[in-house]
Every structure is written in C-alpha cells, then in structure tokens.
Amino acid sequence: MSNKLWLLVLTWLLTACQALPERKPETTATVLPKTWLALSKQAASEPVTQWLSSFHAPELTPLVNDALVHNNDLHAAAARVTQAKALVRKEEAARKPQLFVNPTLNADHERNGAGVSVPFTLSWEWDVWGRISHLRDAAQLNAEALASDWQGARLSLAAATVTACFELAEARQRGHVAQVSITERRRLVELLRGRFDLGIADGLDLSLALTDLSDAEAELESAHNDQHLALRRLQVLLGAYPSGQKTQCQHLPDVPAMLPVGLPAQLLHRRPDILAAFARLQAADQHLAAANKARLPQIQLTASSGSAAEALANLSDPRVVAWNLALGLSQPLYAGGQLQADIDAQTAAVTESVAIYQQAVLKACAQVEQSLAAEQALLAQVQALTNVVAKTDTNRTLAIQAYRNGKADVLTLLDSYRNTLSSQTALLAARLQALQNRVGLYLALGGDVAE
C-alpha cells in the first residue's frame, strides 16, 4: 500500500475515532453575569428549596402532596422515564451475545422418521470501537433528560397547585367583599323606597341606587364564576373530578419576606429544563460519535447449530448437535451515501441541541430577572392600595353620616360605596399578582418541591 493510501486510511480512522467534546454547563451556556441584575445586593447563598412553608399557609403542603400523588400528567411523565430506562437496558443488551432457536417439523417424518429439527443461532458483535457503547450512553442520557423533565413537571405542578389555590382564595374573598357591599346598598335601596313611597324622596335617587345595586350584584356573580373556574382547575390538578366543591383555600396569605435566590450560575445545576437540555446535548454527541464509528470495520462472531431427532429428548445427546463457528469482519465500502448522510444529520442535531440549551438558559434567566424586577413594584402597589382601602373605608363612613344628617346627597353616598368596593377588589387582585409572581420566582429558580 502506498504512503498516500496509508495516510488516507489513517486520516479516515482518526476522523471516525475522534474523541467526544468535553461539555461543561458553564462553558456551553451563554456568558452569565455574576449576580442578578435586578437585585442591588445579594449574598452567594444557596437558593431556597422549601418554599411552600414560607407562605405560612398550612393547607398548601397537603394540597401539593395530593397533586404529586394523583395528577395524571405527572403519572404520564413518570411512565416516560420508565420507558426510557427500558430502552437503556435494550441498548445494553445489544452488547451481549444473542441466542435464537427456530424449531421446525420435518414434513417427511412418516417416511424417513426425521422428526423435529431444532437449529440454534448465536451472534455477537465485538464493540471494539465503542459504537454500541455510544448508543447505550445516548439512551442513558435521554433517560436522564426525561427524569429531569419529570422533576420539572413536579415543580410546575406544585406551582400550578399553589397558584390555583391562591386564585380560588382571591375569588372567594372578592365574592365576600361584593356581598358586604350588596348588603349595604340594599339597605340604602329600602330606605329610599320607603321615602319615595312617602313622597319625600326623588325617584331618580331610587333608580340610581337600584342601578348601583345591580352593578354590585354583577360583581358578585363574576366572583362566583371565577371561584368555580379556579376550583375546577385545582381539582383537575389534584386528579379529582371537577365537582366544584372544596373547602380549602379560603383566604389569601400575605406575601412572605424574600428568601435567598442564589446566583445565576447556580441556575445551570438547579433548573430541570436546563439539566434536561444539557443531557440531550450530550446524547446528541454520543449519537454523532456512533454515526462516525459506523464507518469502521465491524467484528462479529456468529455460530449456528442444527439437530434432528425423533423426540425432543434426544436433543441432550451431543451426537445429534452440530455447530458452525465463524468470526467475520464487515467493512462498509459504499452505502449510497447513507453513512455520511447520517453523520451530517447527527452533526446538525448537535448544533440544534447547543442552540436549544443556550436558549433554555436565557429563558430561565429572563424569568428570574423579570420576577425579581416585578417584586418591589408589586409590593409597593399592594401597600399603596392598602392605604387607598383604608381611606375609602373612612370616606364611606363619613358619607353615611353626612347623608343621614342631610349634608350629602345620594350620589355622594353611592360614590363612596363604589370606591370602597373598587379599591378592595383592586387590593385583592394586587395581592394575588404579588403571590403569583413569588411562586413564579420559586419556579424559575428550579430545585425540588419541599415534601
């Protein structure tokens, strides 16, 4: 063989046997800042994990645990992990010898008494280049990715359950506020109707009060509808029939104090979706390595045996069994471009996986930064609306006294009722939004659900 041909063969072998890239989450991901930009000061502590207890709502933990046990989507995710683990065992079995038996009945049994023929076939491929090992490792990494998906599904389910509970509580409290306002307005309507019947009140005042009462009743029906929607959404998350009947989640908790959020780099090892994307990237590397090594010679050991006897019991007699043993070397020379096409496809799959991983990191960081940035604004909004509620409550009390003393008209009184209901409803909505943002922050930080 000429020197040029030897050089060509050596280059081909080196290309097929090139080492896997050394992937590290920190070097593969987009460059991250050392601290969260939305926080002015932060310590290099571990992010919070047991966040359920921070809300000081004892009902949350049993609700979340109930969802983790009975939710059907989570069961499906767990089944996918089991399937992936079975595929790993399947790829591992490909490295072991394969023995098959194919018994046949001789059609001429009556004439020559040949009886039953029981041939055996044994095959085994020597994984000298590691091609089969790469496929096994890829299957293992895909199983790890699905396990991370399952972990992410657990965290998302916990967050969705907590959020649904908060939404249910907000709708119930909003309904209570509307009911109190309706009671007050009905008293005013009855007062005006009595005065109208006596001829000492204007019909317009009564009409305005009735219209205002209808508006409050419409707000109550809206709250009841939102309550049923949130309740049925919660029951589906719990794996239960959406009957619309449940006693939990009556009151909104206060927004807890901020817990440690860690640093951006810690996100790479906590977020289940990032861990899954990185495992799939490594699996793509393994598939590419297997595709490259498919061009190398394959060494296979095959063995076959045949036996014929009048009864199956005679199979124990070694004289009726004949074995043929062969060691084969298979070298692909031309496959119509299939091998190169597979390499090109796997190369593109690696490029795609890198982009998916980097995008997952950016998306995760954006979620954390957004939640942190919204935190202070939402808390300030809650405080401002708390002050508004206190002032409108005082104004309503003064308006009632002024109307009784003849120093204010009915429009002033109705305005005080509307302002009170509007501010209380806005405060509940702001508190819910702040709680949702906090749950979103814990979800964005990743980690596991506190049991």
Side-chain angles (χ1 to χ4, degrees), residues 104-109 112-117 308-311:
T104 58
L105 180 64
N106 194 327
D108 296 331
H109 172 63
N112 54 30
V116 179
S117 175
E310 293 183 358

Side-chain angles (χ1 to χ4, degrees), residues 2-222:
S2 65
N3 291 336
K4 290 184 178 180
L5 185 57
W6 273 113
L7 181 61
L8 180 62
V9 172
L10 181 60
T11 303
W12 173 64
L13 288 173
L14 290 175
T15 302
C17 295
Q18 58 184 345
L20 288 169
E22 295 185 6
R23 302 282 187 189
K24 293 183 178 180
E26 292 78 9
T27 57
T28 306
T30 305
V31 177
L32 301 177
K34 293 183 179 180
T35 59
W36 296 112
L37 303 181
L39 290 180
S40 57
K41 294 187 292 185
Q42 55 186 313
S45 58
E46 286 295 324
V48 62
T49 53
Q50 298 185 359
W51 49 270
L52 281 178
S53 58
S54 69
F55 291 105
H56 301 291
E59 61 191 351
L60 291 180
T61 297
L63 275 177
V64 169
N65 288 337
D66 194 14
L68 294 177
V69 172
H70 298 106
N71 182 265
N72 292 302
D73 289 333
L74 193 60
H75 290 169
R80 287 191 288 271
V81 176
T82 303
Q83 294 174 47
K85 290 180 178 178
L87 292 177
V88 174
R89 297 196 304 271
K90 179 180 177 181
E91 294 294 345
E92 179 64 29
R95 305 177 63 197
K96 301 176 182 179
Q98 308 294 314
L99 179 63
F100 301 93
V101 59
N102 185 22
T104 58
L105 180 64
N106 194 327
D108 296 331
H109 172 63
E110 294 296 332
R111 290 183 304 198
N112 54 30
V116 179
S117 175
V118 187
F120 295 87
T121 302
L122 176 68
S123 63
W124 174 64
E125 179 179 343
W126 182 16
D127 192 24
V128 62
W129 310 112
R131 181 184 65 86
I132 300 178
S133 297
H134 286 309
L135 295 176
R136 177 207 58 198
D137 293 343
Q140 178 63 44
L141 287 164
N142 281 326
E144 293 176 7
L146 286 171
S148 294
D149 289 340
W150 173 77
Q151 195 69 30
R154 280 171 52 88
L155 186 59
S156 296
L157 175 60
T161 302
V162 172
T163 299
C165 182
F166 290 161
E167 291 172 349
L168 176 57
E170 187 270 345
R172 281 173 167 164
Q173 287 189 246
R174 182 155 40 92
H176 174 72
V177 167
Q179 185 61 63
V180 171
S181 182
I182 288 173
T183 300
E184 291 183 339
R185 297 180 202 213
R186 282 176 178 168
R187 291 173 184 165
L188 178 61
V189 166
E190 292 303 320
L191 175 63
L192 290 174
R193 181 176 285 116
R195 290 185 175 184
F196 177 76
D197 292 340
L198 294 174
I200 58 176
D202 193 342
L204 178 60
D205 289 348
L206 177 59
S207 178
L208 291 173
L210 288 170
T211 300
D212 204 57
L213 174 61
S214 297
D215 289 340
E217 290 173 339
E219 179 64 29
L220 177 62
E221 293 304 319
S222 176

Side-chain angles (χ1 to χ4, degrees), residues 374-389:
E375 179 81 12
Q376 295 303 317
L378 290 173
L379 292 179
Q381 183 183 13
V382 169
Q383 184 58 52
L385 286 171
T386 301
N387 297 334
V388 171
V389 167

Side-chain angles (χ1 to χ4, degrees), residues 346-381:
Q346 297 301 334
T347 301
V350 171
T351 303
E352 177 190 18
S353 298
V354 171
I356 290 175
Y357 175 73
Q358 293 178 343
Q359 184 66 15
V361 173
L362 289 177
K363 181 179 177 181
C365 291
Q367 291 172 346
V368 175
E369 292 282 9
Q370 177 58 37
S371 295
L372 291 174
E375 179 81 12
Q376 295 303 317
L378 290 173
L379 292 179
Q381 183 183 13

Side-chain angles (χ1 to χ4, degrees), residues 214-236:
S214 297
D215 289 340
E217 290 173 339
E219 179 64 29
L220 177 62
E221 293 304 319
S222 176
H224 284 166
N225 183 59
D226 291 342
Q227 174 183 327
H228 288 297
L229 289 174
L231 180 52
R232 289 186 168 87
R233 183 162 55 251
L234 176 61
Q235 289 177 314
V236 170

